Amino acid sequence: MGTNLKKIFRNFNLQSLSINTKYLSANIEFTDYDKECAWELYVELLTRVCTQRMDDDVGDDNTALLSIKNIFDITRDILKVKGRNAINFSKVAVIVLNSIIRPFTSRWHKKSLDNCFIDPVEHKAFRNELKSLQNSL
């Protein structure tokens, strides 16, 4: 699904998309409302650590995790304001939040509260999973 999602955000002239995953197969037609919402989220994704690589020895893991968590808030705001008119964007956004981002944030939230990032092994594990998330998004 990561490759198909990249196509959405790379080409806003796209009129439809086919998604085939283990659990879902769908053709989606995008409206101007869908494209507008996608652009808003694209700007957020493109300027955050969830898609932008950082070397393992720079940055702060807690800040990176918070930035990724904030994608939920931003997406919810877009959905609340415009989602009713952007049904297909809404469907894709919810799938991305719940299937790609939520497992990552759920796994690392509790650990971060326990100060796991001071442990070099946990820091490395987080950065490896972050790279995997970046590839998916």
Side-chain angles (χ1 to χ4, degrees), residues 17-136:
L17 172 70
S18 293
I19 296 176
N20 294 303
T21 69
K22 185 176 175 182
Y23 305 105
L24 170 72
S25 178
N27 288 320
I28 300 172
E29 298 288 327
F30 294 103
T31 66
D32 287 341
Y33 291 110
D34 292 311
K35 293 175 188 177
E36 185 179 325
C37 293
W39 178 256
E40 287 184 38
L41 187 56
Y42 172 74
V43 170
E44 293 293 337
L45 290 171
L46 187 63
T47 58
R48 290 176 182 270
V49 70
C50 55
T51 62
Q52 301 304 307
R53 300 277 183 192
M54 64 181 181
D55 293 332
D56 288 343
D57 59 341
V58 300
D60 177 73
D61 295 337
N62 283 308
T63 303
L65 183 59
L66 179 61
S67 179
I68 294 164
K69 179 263 178 207
N70 287 340
I71 293 298
F72 277 90
D73 301 329
I74 292 161
T75 305
R76 285 183 192 119
D77 288 343
I78 293 169
L79 292 173
K80 284 183 221 175
V81 173
K82 299 178 182 175
R84 183 171 284 158
N85 294 318
I87 299 301
N88 290 318
F89 167 83
S90 299
K91 291 175 186 176
V92 172
V94 169
I95 290 169
V96 171
L97 288 178
N98 289 330
S99 299
I100 297 174
I101 299 175
R102 184 180 306 281
F104 178 86
T105 56
S106 295
R107 183 171 25 265
W108 287 103
H109 178 74
K110 171 73 168 95
K111 288 183 173 193
S112 72
L113 295 176
D114 294 333
N115 295 314
C116 74
F117 297 132
I118 60 174
D119 177 351
V121 173
E122 291 285 17
H123 166 75
K124 183 174 174 136
F126 175 79
R127 292 299 177 102
N128 286 337
E129 286 189 39
L130 176 60
K131 288 174 187 170
S132 179
L133 176 69
Q134 291 166 330
N135 288 334
S136 294

Side-chain angles (χ1 to χ4, degrees), residues 9 15-16 41 45:
F9 295 118
Q15 298 302 313
S16 66
L41 187 56
L45 290 171

